Amino acid sequence: MPHSNAKTHRSFRGSREAGRRELISRSLQSAQHCLEDQDFGTAYAHYLLVLSLAPELKATVKETFQFTLFKWAEELDSLARIQDLFNCYEQALELYPNDEVICNSMGEHLFRMGFRDEAAGYFHKAVKLNPDFADAKENFYRVANWLVERWHFIMLNDTKRNLTYLKAIENVVRSGCKSVLDIGTGTGILSIFAKKAGAPYVYACELSKTMYELARDVVAANNMGNEIKLFHLKSLDIEIPKHIPERVSLVVTETVDAGLFGEGIVESLIHAWEHLLLQPK
């Protein structure tokens, strides 16, 4: 009897596997027919089914899947079915999380819709995945021109300004400040100054996704990726102890510009002083 049960079980498994292979084969054929008929939505659905049943076919169908996704996304875009479009890209990135072509395409859709900060994140990821991907590099530089204000470059090349900030931060840190919060870190230069001055704990927040990613790269390039804690947050959203363990002893910022009131900087600074800064003894 045990032998008979085992045989039945093997027969069942064999039958189930044969059914799976048959379904995969038919779905692939149906997807191809749909592509020939330019029924991209149905073809996309068939490929999703195939990849859910046979993840081992990811490499085999990758290029055809990409083509189908992009054609279906164009249709959804023309029909203003924006949420469906994003859902398709989310599904695709779950299947191919490290595909620079899909990341770049997602960024292009976001950019056309006006979501430039989010688009920059996808372009940046595509370039990270493949530094030689010319389209993604061009897209990233293009969106960066929209998002990175020109005055960043002027300030970064102002030696006198930088040395003044460096000296001021060094003086305060060496006088006993152990923890530093950099509000609106931008490229991360003030956080780097604080760390080089010897501050044991340095935190930084940046609202712009593009500048946050840039700060991460700059900090990593200076071998401080594990020493400076970066947050993609407004200072108003930083919580103790959720984000930082306790109130900091020094706040540094250079967010005072023409957008002072429009960007809510005053409220941010008040919040920092009242909730994040150690009270004077």
Side-chain angles (χ1 to χ4, degrees), residues 51-64:
L51 291 170
S52 67
L53 292 172
E56 66 274 13
L57 294 179
K58 282 183 180 181
T60 304
V61 304
K62 179 179 176 180
E63 290 188 9
T64 311

Side-chain angles (χ1 to χ4, degrees), residues 248-265:
V248 297
S249 51
L250 173 66
V251 170
V252 295
T253 187
E254 193 177 12
T255 48
V256 181
D257 66 357
L260 174 64
F261 297 101
E263 295 180 3
I265 300 304

Side-chain angles (χ1 to χ4, degrees), residues 151-182:
W151 49 260
H152 274 290
F153 302 101
I154 297 172
M155 288 174 13
L156 289 171
N157 286 283
D158 187 339
T159 304
K160 182 177 179 180
R161 162 196 169 274
N162 294 338
L163 290 176
T164 300
Y165 267 100
L166 175 60
K167 185 176 180 180
I169 291 172
E170 285 178 342
N171 289 339
V172 178
V173 170
R174 290 171 183 173
S175 70
C177 288
K178 300 297 183 185
S179 54
V180 179
L181 172 64
D182 180 6

Side-chain angles (χ1 to χ4, degrees), residues 166 169-170 173-174 180 188-200 202 218-219 221-224 227-228:
L166 175 60
I169 291 172
E170 285 178 342
V173 170
R174 290 171 183 173
V180 179
I189 188 171
L190 298 187
S191 296
I192 292 172
F193 285 169
K195 198 63 195 177
K196 287 186 174 180
V202 179
V218 171
V219 167
N222 283 270
N223 298 315
M224 295 183 182
E227 301 180 60
I228 297 174

Side-chain angles (χ1 to χ4, degrees), residues 43-115:
Y44 177 75
H46 280 300
Y47 278 118
L48 285 182
L49 176 60
V50 168
L51 291 170
S52 67
L53 292 172
E56 66 274 13
L57 294 179
K58 282 183 180 181
T60 304
V61 304
K62 179 179 176 180
E63 290 188 9
T64 311
F65 175 80
Q66 288 175 342
F67 173 80
T68 307
L69 167 67
F70 300 155
K71 287 295 186 180
W72 179 224
E74 288 177 7
E75 282 193 28
L76 292 173
D77 194 6
S78 67
L79 296 169
R81 292 172 56 183
I82 306 306
Q83 189 56 56
D84 288 335
L85 185 152
F86 287 149
N87 288 342
C88 286
Y89 273 96
E90 287 176 3
Q91 292 168 336
L93 287 170
E94 285 180 6
L95 292 166
Y96 297 96
N98 295 317
D99 188 291
E100 69 274 18
V101 179
I102 295 177
C103 285
N104 183 65
S105 180
M106 175 66 157
E108 289 175 337
H109 281 287
L110 287 166
F111 184 79
R112 285 195 294 270
M113 294 174 191
F115 301 109

